[in-house]
Amino acid sequence: AMAGCGWARAVRGLLLDVSGVLYDSGADGGVPIAGSAEAVRRIKASGLKLQLCTNETQATRENFVRKLRALGFDISVSEVTAPAPAACRLLRERGLRPHLLVHHDLVPEFAEVDKTNPNCVVLGDAAENFTYENLNEAFRLLIGMEKPILISLGKGRYYKETDGLKLDVGAYMKALEYACDVQAEVVGKPAKRFFESALAELGVPPEQAIMIGDDIVNDVGGAQQCGMRALQVRTGKYRPSDENHPEVKPDAYVNNLAEAVDIILQHL
């Protein structure tokens, strides 16, 4: 086996980030990253447990999975942990009625939630919906609240699509935090509770799980804070500067998911 792979021992389950690890998203539906569909098949054939842990908020989980299956990934909805269902649970638990500033394709995820007379704002990766008008509407609602509540479905700075890098929800979250002097509550990576729910769905304790992602802070840092090992792939939004990150040191760097799976399966 390869040297320095102590991180690969005693694994029972894998959490995979999706965008930048399995595929690069894009207007055309995106493109799979070479070897990743085969890597998912090999994980499943090996008997390792698998859960996708994504901050994807531009589609319902059903449509997201349909897209992944069309790209050749053998994945079911139950294998996806995503922010919108987690946010719906939180809204119900706390009796919150959201004003949604999200991608229009995500709205069906909130169908069961009372949205009349909103007492909070839920922010997702709205892409083209992030107009001045829509941001200003969310701002006015928040600034008018005695105790403003801003819930953000992730806090990523940018992600990679086939035609280049795209601003992510975190940039808009910061704008509203600044304007309203409010601290957003993040549902999604790197929130500890989100990783814990993914682990619960995986049915594996953190010390027997490995997270594989392209986002040094949200994937790698978030997973390590939960007691998991975490690998950084050199695909997706990865940039060489990530390897000098002042706070986060991955357990290993791998060129792609396929390479990570090779090493992990050698140690089973």
Side-chain angles (χ1 to χ4, degrees), residues 68-110:
L68 288 176
R69 293 184 74 88
L71 291 173
F73 294 99
D74 172 24
I75 292 297
S76 63
V77 171
S78 64
E79 291 172 316
V80 178
T81 304
C88 288
R89 271 201 305 277
L90 180 149
L91 294 167
R92 274 197 297 273
E93 282 165 17
R94 287 167 51 184
L96 292 173
R97 301 180 305 277
H99 167 79
L100 299 175
L101 176 41
V102 300
H103 198 282
H104 55 81
D105 291 343
L106 189 71
V107 172
E109 290 271 24
F110 294 89

Side-chain angles (χ1 to χ4, degrees), residues 51 58 121 157 181-182 228 240:
Q51 191 74 16
Q58 285 194 18
V121 167
R157 294 181 299 165
D181 197 19
V182 61
M228 272 184 269

Side-chain angles (χ1 to χ4, degrees), residues 18 50-54 56 61 64-65 68 75-82 85 201:
V18 180
L50 172 72
Q51 191 74 16
L52 305 188
C53 189
T54 178
E56 165 68 43
R61 274 184 309 168
F64 184 53
V65 165
L68 288 176
I75 292 297
S76 63
V77 171
S78 64
E79 291 172 316
V80 178
T81 304
E201 290 174 51

Side-chain angles (χ1 to χ4, degrees), residues 38 46 64 78 98 108 124 132 145 169 182 187 199 222 230 248 259 267:
E38 178 59 23
S46 74
F64 184 53
S78 64
Y132 175 79
M145 291 173 190
V169 61
V182 61
V187 176
L199 282 168
V248 185
E259 184 183 49
H267 287 80

Side-chain angles (χ1 to χ4, degrees), residues 9-69:
R9 299 190 196 311
V11 184
R12 282 180 50 220
L14 299 180
L15 288 184
L16 304 184
D17 173 41
V18 180
S19 178
V21 173
L22 298 188
Y23 82 117
D24 284 319
S25 57
D28 45 5
V31 293
I33 291 167
S36 56
E38 178 59 23
V40 168
R41 271 195 293 279
R42 293 176 65 207
I43 292 166
K44 291 192 164 187
S46 74
L48 285 174
K49 294 182 164 183
L50 172 72
Q51 191 74 16
L52 305 188
C53 189
T54 178
N55 272 8
E56 165 68 43
T57 59
Q58 285 194 18
T60 62
R61 274 184 309 168
E62 283 75 12
N63 285 343
F64 184 53
V65 165
R66 195 171 297 138
K67 181 169 76 174
L68 288 176
R69 293 184 74 88

Side-chain angles (χ1 to χ4, degrees), residues 98-219:
H99 167 79
L100 299 175
L101 176 41
V102 300
H103 198 282
H104 55 81
D105 291 343
L106 189 71
V107 172
E109 290 271 24
F110 294 89
E112 311 288 287
V113 176
D114 181 5
K115 294 177 279 292
T116 55
N117 190 20
N119 56 6
C120 72
V121 167
V122 171
L123 192 63
D125 178 15
E128 281 73 29
N129 261 2
F130 277 136
T131 59
Y132 175 79
E133 193 181 357
N134 288 346
L135 275 165
N136 201 50
E137 188 186 3
F139 157 73
R140 284 178 165 175
L141 272 166
L142 285 168
I143 205 85
M145 291 173 190
E146 202 176 320
K147 287 204 172 112
I149 298 174
L150 173 60
I151 293 164
S152 187
L153 306 180
K155 61 182 250 189
R157 294 181 299 165
Y158 54 85
Y159 52 91
K160 183 174 181 241
E161 289 206 333
T162 46
D163 62 348
L165 299 178
K166 302 284 171 101
L167 271 180
D168 199 358
V169 61
Y172 299 95
M173 176 191 96
K174 288 289 182 191
L176 289 173
E177 281 187 334
Y178 178 64
C180 304
D181 197 19
V182 61
Q183 195 78 45
E185 301 176 42
V186 177
V187 176
K189 299 176 293 193
K192 197 164 186 190
R193 199 176 151 186
F194 188 68
F195 277 111
E196 283 166 353
S197 66
L199 282 168
E201 290 174 51
L202 196 62
V204 167
E207 57 280 2
Q208 295 181 342
I210 293 181
M211 172 78 198
I212 303 175
D214 70 330
D215 186 317
I216 185 81
V217 173
N218 293 307
D219 294 331

Side-chain angles (χ1 to χ4, degrees), residues 21 33-35 212 232-235 253-261:
V21 173
I33 291 167
I212 303 175
Q232 166 95 29
V233 288
R234 295 188 179 103
T235 55
Y253 292 93
V254 288
N255 287 321
N256 48 44
L257 177 63
E259 184 183 49
V261 170

